[in-house]
Amino acid sequence: MKAQAHSRVERGTSCWRAGQCKKPNGYLYDADIAKDLQRRFAKTRRFADASLWITVQRRFVYVEGCTRNKQAASGIDAFVRQTPDVQLVVTNTIIGTGIPNYPVMPAK
């Protein structure tokens, strides 16, 4: 917790003090970003064949999961970036089924 304290406090504070952000803390954007993404994903059929989960933290959006084809996978970043106040999108997906690029819990 102490190791992360500086970056957690700094995220958003310097941006706000410089007059470049409307909120003084990067975490204050998360709920609005998540709601907008949920609304937009619900309105599109583009990713209907994908299994994705989204994590929003300090204006960063992490997208993980799998898609059926390369076209859907290539459009995820652009789709998420259209959301207001998103600072960074990190996509970690695979095409089809197989071994994911991220750690998973072992099967029981």
Side-chain angles (χ1 to χ4, degrees), residues 6-103:
H6 178 74
S7 64
R8 289 175 58 91
V9 170
E10 185 63 23
R11 176 70 47 118
T13 304
S14 60
C15 178
W16 180 69
R17 292 187 70 181
Q20 298 171 340
C21 298
K22 56 189 171 195
K23 297 181 182 181
N25 182 317
Y27 291 96
L28 296 176
Y29 293 90
D30 293 351
D32 291 338
I33 291 171
K35 285 177 191 172
D36 189 61
L37 285 170
Q38 185 176 28
R39 179 188 60 78
R40 291 181 51 240
F41 270 103
K43 286 175 70 174
T44 186
R45 298 284 306 148
R46 183 173 181 185
F47 305 107
D49 290 338
S51 178
L52 303 171
W53 62 93
I54 311 293
T55 304
V56 181
Q57 186 179 53
R58 300 178 317 221
R59 298 176 63 201
F60 290 8
V61 178
Y62 301 89
V63 182
E64 296 175 287
C66 57
T67 62
R68 284 194 184 221
N69 59 55
K70 200 171 191 172
Q71 182 181 7
S74 66
I76 294 170
D77 279 10
F79 182 82
V80 173
R81 287 183 201 285
Q82 293 174 1
T83 302
D85 299 315
V86 169
Q87 185 177 9
L88 177 71
V89 179
V90 178
T91 305
N92 190 4
T93 60
I94 61 172
I95 298 166
T97 60
I99 300 172
N101 302 327
Y102 42 82

